[in-house]
Amino acid sequence: MADENTIVLTDENGEEDSFEYLDTIEYEGEEFVVMTPVSEEESDELEVVIFRILHEENGDDSFVTEEDDSIVESVFEIFRERYEEADDDEYGE
């Protein structure tokens, strides 16, 4: 059963992949979504994928893989800082 944080994306080849939504981050006037692939395998490390959000004129949104490594690193750093702050708040540190 998919939960409300699961998003299914279809790639250019028609293949569907499921991702868990983690966060939306604004960076340099653009919006990016941070997600992790849904996997049957358990892992101690969180794999994240960063997509640029493209707002279509018809009101739909598209997600495209961000190709600029410096933007990916900057957005990931913002996400990591938020993630650590949330973790600290959860454990009262």
Side-chain angles (χ1 to χ4, degrees):
M1 180 168 111
D3 75 32
E4 62 190 42
N5 286 335
T6 300
I7 297 171
V8 177
L9 299 179
T10 305
D11 68 15
E12 61 273 358
N13 299 320
E15 300 287 324
E16 290 186 347
D17 290 307
S18 296
F19 295 88
E20 181 181 348
Y21 169 82
L22 300 174
D23 202 356
T24 300
I25 294 172
E26 187 170 326
Y27 177 74
E28 293 189 349
E30 299 282 342
E31 286 184 304
F32 298 87
V33 64
V34 181
M35 295 191 273
T36 185
V38 173
S39 172
E40 301 299 321
E41 301 171 16
E42 289 294 319
S43 174
D44 291 339
E45 292 196 20
L46 180 66
E47 176 186 349
V48 298
V49 182
I50 296 172
F51 295 100
R52 179 185 298 262
I53 302 173
L54 297 179
H55 300 288
E56 308 290 334
E57 288 183 21
N58 65 5
D60 291 342
D61 290 339
S62 297
F63 299 134
V64 294
T65 304
E66 179 54 56
E67 301 291 335
D68 186 323
D69 289 341
S70 65
I71 292 175
V72 169
E73 290 172 15
S74 297
V75 171
F76 179 74
E77 184 62 25
I78 294 167
F79 169 74
R80 190 181 65 72
E81 288 173 5
R82 286 184 184 178
Y83 189 75
E84 286 177 354
E85 287 173 12
D87 203 35
D88 288 349
D89 290 345
E90 183 176 328
Y91 295 106
E93 294 179 15

